[in-house]
């Protein structure tokens, strides 16, 4: 099938139709899945970046490129898929097929929401997060983060705004540009080694590491299929030493690279479930992807192991003083508690209730970052909007779920990564 042309496929089905009684074929999950892939690929033709990964038949991508439906027809196509999924009989379906149906329903519903947004519909931050990712974020008032700021203030004494003091402190932890590649490679290799000890990875899985510029993100995993990823690291801004392990685990092992490779192996290669050969960025899948990628950092480096590894290997490689590592670890543990403040900033900024300068001021104050980083973060927020909930909230929900399943967190995470689990299943 992979190598047949569309014309050959059409010819084949025409022959089949002539040779047998022209009865309408019964609908099936496989048929809906095939049309869901077409829908997703065509939305990707209308919105660059919507399709994060696709490694199904090249003919399907070519067909979408050649004649993508217009937005109103795509919206009608999504509605039709939803109706077909509701109409499919569920009697006799096993648990995996029921989950498959739920997965397709949730992803078609997210596609509908994205199409409404592309057509100009305005939703609140929490509404669009829930419609696209299947989780409604809590938006706490910024004042609720003041106690955390006060604790950090005590940790980084001095004059001037706290964000400036923290930025000055963090400046001592920048990886020199000429050490970036060896430090990143050492970090990814360690993340991979720790993951391989606890998970069975697909044979021949591999990745390429690239350094790039002028992107709204700091790192990206481009999954290419056949267990291969292109991992890109943005070097627009200086990279702090703690980002090495973050990026290695998040983009690589056991994060995005492993998630995609396990999905491809489990569903596309072993079962022929084509819906998993396409990854729409604005979908519940991203909540699981980002949440598990962030949880994967703590999974691979529990307790003090991360600081130990950084002190022993990464600081010397970067030419930084390992004796200063503990202070950085302490600060990072506290700043993590500020992670969701940006949801509140994004909510008010994207709705037009505060201007860009105010949003930058708030990001500086509550993320404790310098102006250039606040600018990069705001450009990420402008590009991806409520996608930002997938990181902090995603991590917390994945962690709570995994650790509630029993003592073997690696085995549970592997099961999660090789499944069609939805955010709603984590509750
Ligand atoms: Zn990510």
């Amino acid at each position: 099938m992979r190598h047949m042309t569309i014309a050959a496929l059409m010819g084949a089905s025409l022959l089949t139709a002539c040779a047998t009684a022209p009865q309408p074929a019964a609908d099936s999950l496989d048929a809906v899945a095939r049309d869901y892939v077409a829908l997703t690929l065509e939305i990707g033709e209308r919105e660059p970046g919507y399709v994060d990964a696709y490694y199904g038949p090249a003919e399907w991508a070519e067909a979408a490129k050649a004649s993508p439906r217009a937005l109103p027809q795509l919206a009608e196509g999504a509605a039709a898929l939803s109706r077909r999924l509701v109409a499919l009989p569920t009697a006799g379906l096993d648990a995996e097929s029921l989950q498959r149906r739920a997965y397709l329903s949730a992803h078609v519903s997210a596609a509908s929401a994205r199409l409404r947004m592309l057509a100009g519909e305005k939703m609140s931050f929490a509404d669009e997060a829930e419609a696209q990712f299947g989780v409604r974020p809590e938006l706490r008032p910024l004042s609720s983060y003041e106690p955390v700021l006060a604790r950090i203030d005590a940790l980084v004494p001095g004059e001037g705004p706290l964000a400036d003091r923290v930025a000055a402190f963090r400046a001592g932890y920048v990886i020199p540009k000429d050490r970036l590649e060896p430090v990143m490679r050492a970090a990814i290799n360690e993340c991979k080694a720790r993951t391989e000890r606890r998970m069975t990875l697909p044979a021949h899985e591999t990745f390429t590491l690239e350094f790039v510029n002028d992107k709204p993100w700091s790192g990206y995993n481009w999954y290419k299929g056949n267990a291969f990823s292109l991992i890109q690291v943005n070097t627009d801004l200086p990279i702090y030493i703690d980002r090495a392990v973050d990026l290695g685990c998040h983009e690589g092992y056991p994060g995005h690279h492993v998630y995609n490779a396990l999905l491809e192996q489990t569903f596309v290669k072993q079962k022929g479930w084509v819906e998993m050969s396409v990854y729409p960025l604005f979908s519940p899948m991203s909540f699981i992807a980002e949440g598990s990628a962030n949880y994967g950092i703590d999974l691979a480096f529990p307790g003090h192991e991360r600081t130990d590894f950084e002190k022993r290997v990464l600081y010397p490689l970067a030419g930084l003083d390992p004796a200063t590592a503990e202070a950085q670890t302490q600060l990072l543990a506290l700043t993590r508690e500020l992670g969701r403040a940006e949801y509140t900033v994004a909510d008010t900024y994207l709705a037009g209730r505060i201007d860009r300068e105010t949003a930058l001021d708030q990001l500086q104050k509550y993320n404790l970052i310098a102006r250039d980083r606040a600018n990069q973060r705001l450009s990420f927020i402008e590009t991806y909007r409520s996608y930002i909930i997938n990181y902090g909230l995603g991590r917390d929900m994945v962690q709570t779920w995994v650790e509630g399943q029993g003592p073997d967190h690696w085995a549970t995470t592997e099961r999660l990564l090789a499944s069609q689990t939805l955010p709603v299943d984590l509750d």
Side-chain angles (χ1 to χ4, degrees):
M1 285 286 278
R2 274 184 80 101
H3 303 289
M4 286 177 82
T5 63
I6 291 294
L9 278 172
M10 287 173 68
S13 62
L14 209 65
L15 284 174
T16 314
C18 294
T20 58
Q23 289 212 336
D27 206 1
S28 66
L29 282 171
D30 281 337
V32 171
R34 169 67 189 85
D35 292 340
Y36 160 79
V37 176
L39 179 88
T40 306
L41 292 174
E42 288 177 55
I43 299 174
E45 293 301 320
R46 297 296 175 194
E47 184 187 28
Y50 178 76
V51 175
D52 185 72
Y54 174 67
Y55 47 85
E59 294 87 349
W60 296 2
E62 283 154 20
K65 203 179 190 69
S67 55
R69 282 166 279 177
L71 290 179
Q73 283 69 49
L74 286 167
E76 176 42 44
L81 285 180
S82 288
R83 287 194 295 272
R84 285 167 62 189
L85 283 162
V86 169
L88 278 177
T90 53
L93 288 188
D94 59 12
E96 273 196 328
S97 299
L98 286 171
Q99 187 65 29
R100 186 184 190 194
R101 181 170 172 268
Y103 178 94
L104 284 166
S105 295
H107 282 75
V108 170
S109 167
S112 284
R114 191 69 194 171
L115 286 164
R116 291 201 302 279
M117 288 171 67
L118 292 176
E121 186 177 319
K122 298 274 183 273
M123 283 184 251
S124 76
F125 182 84
D127 283 345
E128 66 162 77
E130 188 174 14
Q132 295 181 96
F133 309 110
V135 177
R136 189 167 192 84
E138 179 198 357
L139 300 170
R140 299 181 202 146
L142 289 176
S143 59
S144 70
Y145 297 95
E146 296 289 347
V148 186
L149 292 182
R151 280 154 64 205
I152 296 172
D153 191 87
L155 201 66
V156 191
E159 298 297 311
L162 181 59
D164 292 352
R165 277 182 273 146
V166 170
F169 174 87
R170 298 272 279 149
Y173 295 90
V174 168
I175 307 169
K177 247 194 158 145
D178 64 330
R179 307 305 299 154
L180 207 48
E181 176 140 16
V183 170
M184 282 305 309
R185 286 202 185 280
I188 296 189
N189 288 344
E190 181 68 14
C191 298
K192 178 171 172 153
R194 285 167 180 252
T195 303
E196 273 177 334
R197 284 204 286 274
R198 304 301 298 272
M199 282 184 182
T200 308
L201 300 181
H204 314 301
E205 58 75 24
T206 186
F207 69 92
T208 293
L209 179 66
E210 262 181 27
F211 295 94
V212 298
N213 285 108
D214 204 22
K215 307 288 179 195
W217 36 259
S218 57
Y220 213 109
N221 178 292
W222 304 96
Y223 191 69
K224 304 291 189 183
N226 277 320
F228 172 70
S229 285
L230 169 62
I231 296 176
Q232 291 185 326
V233 176
N234 182 3
T235 61
D236 283 350
L237 296 175
I239 296 176
Y240 299 126
I241 186 81
D242 56 283
R243 289 292 288 149
V245 162
D246 272 3
L247 284 163
C249 286
H250 181 105
E251 308 297 344
Y253 305 82
H256 294 325
H257 170 65
V258 170
Y259 182 43
N260 282 288
L262 288 177
L263 289 177
E264 177 183 34
Q265 174 179 260
T266 309
F267 294 104
V268 182
K269 294 202 163 164
Q270 290 175 3
K271 294 181 192 289
W273 290 9
V274 294
E275 70 273 23
M276 303 313 276
S277 67
V278 71
Y279 177 171
L281 194 63
F282 299 96
S283 73
M285 201 173 159
S286 280
F287 190 84
I288 304 292
E290 302 297 0
S292 61
N294 270 354
Y295 173 61
I297 304 165
D298 298 331
L299 181 68
F301 293 87
H304 211 260
E305 289 186 27
R306 172 173 173 167
T307 309
D308 290 344
F309 168 71
E310 289 173 338
K311 275 164 79 169
R312 184 169 49 81
V313 178
L314 299 187
Y315 275 65
L317 263 181
L320 299 173
D321 179 5
T324 64
E326 301 292 344
Q328 155 102 329
T329 298
Q330 234 185 328
L331 177 69
L332 290 177
L334 276 175
T335 53
R336 183 159 157 164
E337 294 180 36
L338 299 168
R340 295 200 209 169
E342 65 175 16
Y343 303 176
T344 306
V345 178
D347 171 45
T348 48
Y349 172 64
L350 294 172
R353 296 199 297 276
I354 56 171
D355 62 13
R356 201 168 197 283
E357 284 306 301
T358 308
L360 287 171
D361 289 344
Q362 292 182 347
L363 283 176
Q364 273 198 265
K365 179 172 177 188
Y366 292 96
N367 276 359
L368 292 177
I369 48 179
R371 199 70 168 183
D372 52 356
R373 276 176 208 278
N375 242 313
Q376 189 186 55
R377 196 58 192 160
L378 196 56
S379 101
F380 187 93
I381 290 169
E382 287 163 345
T383 308
Y384 298 105
R385 303 176 61 91
S386 58
Y387 190 92
I388 59 175
I389 71 152
N390 297 324
Y391 298 96
L393 183 55
R395 180 194 58 221
D396 292 348
M397 280 180 63
V398 165
Q399 174 173 11
T400 303
W401 183 82
V402 168
E403 296 180 357
Q405 301 294 303
D408 193 342
H409 302 160
W410 278 101
T412 306
T413 302
E414 185 172 352
R415 189 153 50 81
L416 172 69
L417 297 181
S419 77
Q420 290 183 318
T421 299
L422 293 164
V424 69
D425 303 316
L426 300 181
D427 259 344

